[in-house]
């Protein structure tokens, strides 16, 4: 399971990286009702293909190898797990730039945490998730519990606040 979550996050990062690289030199384009970002006309598809080809060509060899390993790993997953990962990638791709930045900051914060801080964060998440599920089941009997909504978009930071200096 952990491998699949890592694979999903890695794929999302690679896809976002390709998308950012492909859009770095382009002006904002109009978007129709197609919110998934899939080009609808042949001209749009050709432009997207050209941008992606340019992004791929400019990638370092190590990055290309990483993307190919991720792609191979995705292909080898069972269909239901692959579908779940694709849904997560789509969710990331549909995020606003502000949401993506918050996701990047949360990732960075997680990387800077100690093992103990991560464990406390996991325990706090499980506790809050369990409370949320219990409340949901009482208020919505027979309905499936939705994904856990964080207030403010992120779990609380389990690290203690930095010490303040006297006189501040």
């Amino acid at each position: 399971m952990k491998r699949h979550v890592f694979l999903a996050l890695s794929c999302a990062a690679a896809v976002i990286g390709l998308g950012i690289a492909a859009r770095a030199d382009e002006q904002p384009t109009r978007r129709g009702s197609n919110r998934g970002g899939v080009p609808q006309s042949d001209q749009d598809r050709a432009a997207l293909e050209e941008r992606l080809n340019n992004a791929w060509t400019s990638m370092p060899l190590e990055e290309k190898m990483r993307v190919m390993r991720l792609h191979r790993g995705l292909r080898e997953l069972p269909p239901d797990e692959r579908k779940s990962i694709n849904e997560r990638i789509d969710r990331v791709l549909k995020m606003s730039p502000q949401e993506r930045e918050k996701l990047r900051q949360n990732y960075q914060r997680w990387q800077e945490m100690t093992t103990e801080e991560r464990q406390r964060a996991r325990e706090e998440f499980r506790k809050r998730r369990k409370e949320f599920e219990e409340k949901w089941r009482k208020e919505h009997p027979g309905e499936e519990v939705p994904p856990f909504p964080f207030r403010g978009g992120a779990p609380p930071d389990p690290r203690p606040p930095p010490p303040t200096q006297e006189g501040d």
Side-chain angles (χ1 to χ4, degrees):
M1 179 66 177
K2 287 182 182 179
R3 178 177 165 252
H4 303 294
V5 171
F6 174 75
L7 185 60
L9 291 174
S10 298
C11 288
V15 168
I16 290 170
L18 270 175
I20 291 169
R23 283 181 266 142
D25 60 344
E26 90 180 27
Q27 296 295 323
T29 56
R30 63 177 170 75
R31 263 205 139 127
S33 61
N34 183 7
R35 298 300 297 156
V38 178
Q40 299 216 350
S41 71
D42 289 341
Q43 183 180 5
D44 290 342
R45 278 191 285 280
L48 175 63
E49 185 176 336
E50 182 179 347
R51 288 192 310 272
L52 290 173
N53 282 338
N54 291 339
W56 181 259
T57 303
S58 66
M59 286 175 71
L61 180 60
E62 297 80 22
E63 194 68 18
K64 289 179 182 179
M65 291 171 56
R66 185 173 75 87
V67 170
M68 290 189 305
R69 281 193 304 272
L70 290 171
H71 182 258
R72 184 177 59 242
L74 266 177
R75 278 193 336 250
E76 294 171 357
L77 287 176
D80 58 329
E81 292 177 20
R82 189 171 41 240
K83 181 179 182 235
S84 172
I85 288 173
N86 283 329
E87 288 169 356
R88 290 179 185 197
I89 291 171
D90 286 343
R91 196 168 42 196
V92 170
L93 290 174
K94 290 177 183 176
M95 287 181 174
S96 70
Q98 295 82 8
E99 290 171 319
R100 285 187 192 172
E101 177 60 21
K102 187 159 193 135
L103 186 66
R104 190 195 62 73
Q105 290 171 354
N106 287 341
Y107 173 78
Q108 185 64 38
R109 189 181 78 197
W110 186 261
Q111 293 302 312
E112 294 169 358
M113 289 174 144
T114 65
T115 305
E116 294 79 22
E117 290 169 336
R118 288 180 187 175
Q119 187 59 35
R120 280 196 304 272
R122 287 184 188 104
E123 290 167 6
E124 179 66 21
F125 175 84
R126 287 184 194 111
K127 176 183 159 200
R128 291 179 64 196
R129 172 68 188 179
K130 185 177 179 183
E131 291 169 358
F132 171 79
E133 287 178 356
E134 289 170 0
K135 182 180 176 188
W136 178 269
R137 286 189 178 104
K138 285 180 188 174
E139 295 174 358
H140 305 88
E143 291 183 34
E144 185 177 332
V145 180
F148 183 52
F150 285 116
R151 290 179 188 92
D157 191 340
R159 298 178 289 191
T164 58
Q165 295 181 359
E166 295 292 311
D168 280 351

